[in-house]
Amino acid sequence: MIMITGDTHGELWRFCEECMPGESTWTEDDVLIICGDFGFIWYDETDLVGYRCNEEALNTLSHKPYCILMLDGNHENFNRLYSYPEVECYGEVVHKIRDNIFHLERGRIYEIQGKTFFTFGGAYSVDKYLRQEDISWWRQELPCDEEYRLGAQSLKDAGFKVDYILTHTAPNELIRHLGFSPDPHDAELTGYLEWIMFETDFKHWYFGHFHIEKTINLPNGKQLRALFNDVVVIE
């Protein structure tokens, strides 16, 4: 099975039967995907206490029998995240964090258990003004031109057809459906996602970031879902 959930923010207690029903029965054949703000790659060696806590948590998760796949959100230490080795997995390039924990990169299409997933992490931190660069905020939270081009080319090569789309933030129209106003600071990203939404044939789109649970059905039949604590199971 494939399970998809929202932001985990470094909360190890989320990975249990009570918070993720069925978690105690998941096996090496199962995959859990987190839609950004994983939270366990935050501190570096400049904060040894925090870094060791992160490492201990990752080591604990590495003993889970199932595979954990994460998109990047906006609250990630991108310098540390991008320092992990790149390997091929699920037909594309990933960052390998542990033997069972991988980062799904922006703009790539992965094949997982016979299903295709287009992934595009990142978002703008509205609390950026409270943060310090390279300590609690990183410029890489928003995509670069190369990542935008890679995403467009990946979808073009796939004939603009995938089974699922996974992102951290959402298209402009969806943000309004959720009752929020799109932030001009990441208008390029949310506008790009809106272009993808209208150009691409997909079954479902899952995203995190907004800390709510809501399903949105568009008039054209496409379904998008905001996830936070809920876990969606794809058989």
Side-chain angles (χ1 to χ4, degrees), residues 105-151:
E105 298 184 2
R106 298 170 182 170
R108 301 190 184 276
I109 297 176
Y110 299 93
E111 184 171 341
I112 306 170
Q113 296 185 7
K115 301 173 180 65
T116 53
F117 294 79
F118 174 79
T119 61
F120 210 92
Y124 174 73
S125 294
V126 295
D127 57 354
K128 171 186 170 182
Y129 67 98
L130 296 172
R131 298 175 177 272
Q132 187 173 349
E133 186 168 0
D134 289 333
I135 294 178
S136 56
W137 173 81
W138 289 265
R139 291 183 180 274
Q140 302 98 312
E141 68 176 17
L142 288 175
C144 63
D145 290 345
E146 182 180 350
E147 290 168 328
Y148 285 126
R149 286 194 294 267
L150 175 62

Side-chain angles (χ1 to χ4, degrees), residues 158-174:
F160 286 93
K161 182 178 176 63
V162 292
D163 292 318
Y164 299 94
I165 295 179
L166 306 175
T167 59
H168 184 56
T169 189
N172 284 328
E173 182 174 336
L174 267 294

